[in-house]
Amino acid sequence: MMYNTFMDKIKKNQQHKVKILDMTHEGTGIAKIDGFPVFVSNTLTGELLDIHIIKANNKYAVAKPLKFYQKSKKRTEPFCDVFHRCGGCDLQHIKYEEQLIIKKQIVESNLQRIGGFNDLLVDEIIGMEKPYNYRNKAQYPVNEGKIGFYAKKSHTIIEHDKCLVQDERVTKIIEYFKNQEISHIKHLVFRIGDDKLMLIVVSNNRKPFFDIELLIATFPFITTIVLNYHPNETNVVLGKENITLYGDGYITDQLLEISYRISPNSFYQVNKVQTEKLYKKVIEFAGDTKNKTIFDLYCGIGTISLTMAKDAKKVIGIESVIEAVNDANINMKENSIDNCEFICNKVEDEIINLYNDNIIADIVIVDPPRKGCDRVLLDTIIKMNIEKMIYVSCDSATLARDLKILCDENYKVLNIVAIDMFPHTKHVETVTLLELK
Ligand SMILES: C[S@@+](CC[C@H](N)C(=O)[O-])C[C@H]1O[C@@H](n2cnc3c(N)ncnc32)[C@H](O)[C@@H]1O
């Protein structure tokens, strides 16, 4: 029997015995029931199991596992009690070495499906030696007396005792807040640097409403506390107004021997160990930078700019968040570097100003957010005919889309390396080297 019509499709709440045939590029198992595709969470290719259908339409169904008859050798016991409910990690049930293989395949599959690159392989994937407690940033939503992480595709808060990808000090502070009055708190955000921990309490109340002295006495490792006033109901975690209640109102951290100041609203890579490997790859791909002008687009607090400034003639960094640009300028001075210029503007607008002023680089580095590069930016880079381009990406789907645009014109891809910045999640970072054809 073929389930091809709306009437005889697979229905919600049915149970079936299936074999997992393949996996999506998000790490979900794919089974087929008489040709009808069923996506089964937390399963691996080759597994035989009973499933429970939780959603079905006339194109596909979604199911959760019920009982396993045959488990994959790639499977491991998830280390977190709330793995099946929390939306934070997707791949915890897969051995770490296998996670790396899957992530490499995800990138290659996106390059093929979206970019049309049939022969482009990822050169290597650089994993972590100890893929735990790696995050230097945590954002815990608070609602209806609960503190935790959101469930997958929902705003339901899943509480947990500890999260093994977070810093252990964060878990202790979360436990403390679980016994406090938290009705004014929207999020608890943590930023961690070398021996520094910043607690940002995001609130719809501008006046401090918690015992700061008790908090510091209980957790002497907190170096600064900031109240972030955020009265609006949006999906953006932080509001614009920061009130420093204790300490400097920022943290500092070192990457490849350069020290950085990081303000609450500034972007900073979440995994320090892997960021250093990422930046080393950028240095390697850039090659000889003597007397070269470099554009660092989407530059954040200037980390890539300052890393590249040593040998280069000049680095121009562009970033739209003013706090990050202020940090970048301070970071340049504090590290006695004087050949960078940081511009606060949208890259897609500023690149046109540079083009019109005939300011062109020898190397352009882009590191956009997940949505990828703006089309105007890509078109202008193509027009500028910049010899070398390094594309740092945290989303291989938008990377593939953008590489297609560049390679349909004057660029070719020379190398792609993946770096596992986010172990146990489906996310993967890449660095791509392009040159003019
Ligand atoms: C993935 S981060 C990269 C930051 C930096 N390269 C690093 O390694 O820390 C992307 C940065 O781009 C900035 N951004 C996002 N959209 C932008 C735009 N249209 N123009 C300029 N900057 C933008 C964000 O504020 C963020 O700092």
Side-chain angles (χ1 to χ4, degrees), residues 25-40:
H25 32 275
E26 300 204 332
T28 305
I30 307 170
K32 286 207 169 153
I33 302 173
D34 293 320
F36 189 83
V38 185
F39 297 97
V40 193

Side-chain angles (χ1 to χ4, degrees), residues 157-431:
I157 291 182
I158 306 294
E159 290 188 295
H160 53 267
D161 292 337
K162 63 176 174 185
C163 173
L164 276 178
V165 301
Q166 303 292 354
D167 188 289
E168 282 168 2
R169 291 169 290 180
V170 167
T171 307
K172 288 183 185 151
I173 301 171
I174 291 297
E175 284 309 306
Y176 170 91
F177 272 99
K178 280 182 183 167
N179 299 313
Q180 302 295 313
E181 166 57 45
I182 51 174
S183 58
H184 282 304
I185 303 179
K186 296 169 80 177
H187 269 89
L188 288 169
V189 178
F190 302 84
R191 306 290 296 264
I192 299 160
D194 294 326
D195 300 324
K196 308 265 188 324
L197 191 147
M198 171 160 60
L199 165 64
I200 306 165
V201 180
V202 186
S203 174
N204 48 16
N205 188 345
R206 201 186 253 118
K207 292 207 181 83
F209 49 88
F210 50 92
D211 190 337
I212 300 165
E213 270 158 33
L214 179 61
L215 200 51
I216 299 158
T218 315
F219 304 108
F221 51 77
I222 297 180
T223 50
T224 185
I225 302 176
V226 172
L227 180 65
N228 178 271
Y229 177 56
H230 193 10
N232 307 331
E233 289 308 321
T234 69
N235 280 336
V236 181
V237 173
L238 291 181
K240 290 201 184 313
E241 188 180 334
N242 290 309
I243 304 154
T244 302
L245 303 178
Y246 171 70
D248 295 331
Y250 60 86
I251 51 157
T252 54
D253 199 24
Q254 274 215 357
L255 286 174
L256 301 178
E257 289 168 18
I258 300 176
S259 63
Y260 297 98
R261 159 204 167 117
I262 307 148
S263 298
N265 296 65
S266 298
F267 177 90
Y268 189 64
Q269 301 284 357
V270 299
N271 183 333
K272 178 179 166 129
V273 173
Q274 296 300 90
T275 300
E276 291 197 328
K277 296 178 191 168
L278 170 77
Y279 289 177
K280 280 184 186 164
K281 238 339 134 186
V282 173
I283 295 171
E284 181 194 320
F285 281 179
D288 182 9
T289 53
K290 278 222 161 50
N291 289 322
K292 300 227 161 121
T293 298
I294 300 174
F295 288 165
D296 176 17
L297 308 183
Y298 305 93
C299 71
I301 60 166
T303 44
I304 294 181
S305 304
L306 299 178
T307 303
M308 302 305 295
K310 206 166 109 221
D311 291 329
K313 182 163 98 186
K314 182 168 186 181
V315 185
I316 298 177
I318 304 174
E319 161 65 44
S320 58
V321 172
I322 182 67
E323 290 86 348
V325 175
N326 291 340
D327 285 348
N329 278 312
I330 292 169
N331 292 333
M332 176 166 68
K333 272 201 201 115
E334 292 284 308
N335 290 283
S336 309
I337 295 170
D338 60 5
N339 58 342
C340 298
E341 179 188 351
F342 295 104
I343 300 169
C344 186
N345 200 353
K346 288 188 174 162
V347 291
E348 54 273 29
D349 295 339
E350 192 57 34
I351 198 76
I352 291 178
N353 297 339
L354 293 171
Y355 182 68
N356 290 339
D357 292 345
N358 208 19
I359 300 171
I360 291 181
D362 303 289
I363 302 171
V364 56
I365 302 166
V366 296
D367 184 4
R370 278 195 198 146
K371 66 178 179 184
C373 289
D374 189 277
R375 182 65 202 244
V376 173
L377 171 66
L378 295 176
D379 288 342
T380 314
I381 289 174
I382 288 165
K383 277 199 287 186
M384 283 177 159
N385 233 17
I386 298 175
E387 207 177 301
K388 192 178 262 194
M389 178 169 185
I390 300 168
Y391 193 138
V392 180
S393 161
C394 53
D395 184 327
S396 57
T398 55
L399 170 77
R401 179 202 66 200
D402 292 350
L403 290 184
K404 179 168 170 33
I405 294 169
L406 292 161
C407 294
D408 279 350
E409 299 293 333
N410 46 353
Y411 282 94
K412 61 174 186 269
V413 173
L414 294 192
N415 205 342
I416 303 187
V417 165
I419 294 167
D420 193 22
M421 295 281 255
F422 320 98
H424 312 295
T425 76
K426 64 186 176 204
H427 301 292
V428 58
E429 194 90 5
T430 52
V431 194

Side-chain angles (χ1 to χ4, degrees), residues 27-90:
T28 305
I30 307 170
K32 286 207 169 153
I33 302 173
D34 293 320
F36 189 83
V38 185
F39 297 97
V40 193
S41 56
N42 309 325
T43 53
L44 295 168
T45 304
E47 292 189 322
L48 189 66
L49 71 156
D50 284 340
I51 57 166
H52 179 94
I53 305 285
I54 53 175
K55 177 185 162 182
N57 59 34
N58 54 350
K59 292 206 177 87
Y60 65 89
V62 179
K64 60 179 185 184
L66 276 182
K67 181 181 170 189
F68 284 87
Y69 298 101
Q70 206 174 302
K71 283 189 174 179
S72 167
K73 289 202 175 73
K74 297 174 182 174
R75 179 174 282 281
T76 186
E77 204 45 50
F79 50 76
C80 176
D81 294 344
V82 294
F83 167 61
H84 297 291
R85 294 188 289 133
C86 175
C89 298
D90 313 276

